[in-house]
Amino acid sequence: MTPDEILTAIQRKHTNLVDALADISDADLVTGQLSDAWTVKDLMAHVALWYRVAIKFIAEYKREGAPKPLGLKDDAAINAYNQREIEMRRAWTLAQVRDEFDAAYRNLLAVVRTLSDADLQKPLPMFDWQAGTATLEQIIAANSYEHEPEHTAQVNRFKTRLRGE
């Protein structure tokens, strides 16, 4: 994909999530349970977290030629990382989480605009427990537009439960 195609994919999937969130009251965003562990507000913080991870990886690529791994060796480590990051944001207000969510999205778009086709296609060493190589395009996708649909679906299921369907 080209930078413009990646930007379009990010924008489309983000818009789908924002649209799904749009008609949920602030009270339900803060207290509405998506699972035993996460609220809708937590999900917004989670999406922002992974946008920021993509931004970090891009910055490290531009500065050092390759992103540095997060040190997450398997799915359990990723789950623990997610939970730890969510716990750090639990005390944040909804406004603070929204600000991070919006800023991380804008910043991701801005850094993707700085990339060339060659940047996106250059093979990079894979992280941690995965073998082989990946491209910056794949790394961006995994942390943004390929990641968001599962969370948009969670929000839509939550809204169905709210409506009592």
Side-chain angles (χ1 to χ4, degrees):
M1 293 177 79
T2 67
D4 286 340
E5 291 168 332
I6 290 172
L7 288 167
T8 298
I10 293 169
Q11 291 165 331
R12 186 176 61 247
K13 298 304 180 180
H14 183 78
T15 297
N16 291 345
L17 178 56
V18 168
D19 288 351
L21 294 166
D23 59 349
I24 301 174
S25 72
D26 286 358
D28 285 331
L29 289 173
V30 172
T31 62
Q33 293 295 129
L34 295 175
S35 67
D36 292 338
W38 285 14
T39 66
V40 182
K41 181 183 99 171
D42 294 337
L43 176 137
M44 293 170 66
H46 169 78
V47 169
L49 162 68
W50 289 101
Y51 282 168
R52 288 187 307 101
V53 166
I55 293 164
K56 169 195 170 311
F57 288 158
I58 294 167
E60 290 168 351
Y61 164 79
K62 290 185 123 305
R63 197 174 48 249
E64 301 166 24
K68 294 178 184 170
L70 295 174
L72 306 174
K73 303 291 183 197
D74 55 27
D75 287 341
I78 291 172
N79 291 338
Y81 178 74
N82 282 329
Q83 196 58 39
R84 192 170 48 253
E85 291 291 326
I86 292 303
E87 290 300 326
M88 289 180 6
R89 290 163 178 76
R90 280 266 159 81
W92 290 15
T93 65
L94 178 58
Q96 289 171 305
V97 169
R98 275 189 174 136
D99 287 347
E100 182 184 39
F101 180 76
D102 294 339
Y105 170 69
R106 285 190 311 272
N107 292 338
L108 178 59
L109 294 178
V111 298
V112 169
R113 286 185 182 103
T114 70
L115 300 171
S116 68
D117 289 345
D119 291 328
L120 293 168
Q121 300 309 318
K122 179 182 173 186
L124 301 169
M126 281 301 287
F127 300 147
D128 306 322
W129 79 97
Q130 298 169 325
T133 61
T135 63
L136 205 51
E137 173 189 349
Q138 292 168 317
I139 292 167
I140 293 166
N143 290 292
S144 63
Y145 63 88
E146 288 180 352
H147 176 226
E148 265 178 304
E150 75 178 274
H151 297 306
T152 301
Q154 283 180 294
V155 170
N156 287 328
R157 286 191 301 273
F158 169 75
K159 288 170 40 174
T160 299
R161 285 194 319 271
L162 270 181
R163 293 188 301 261
E165 297 174 5

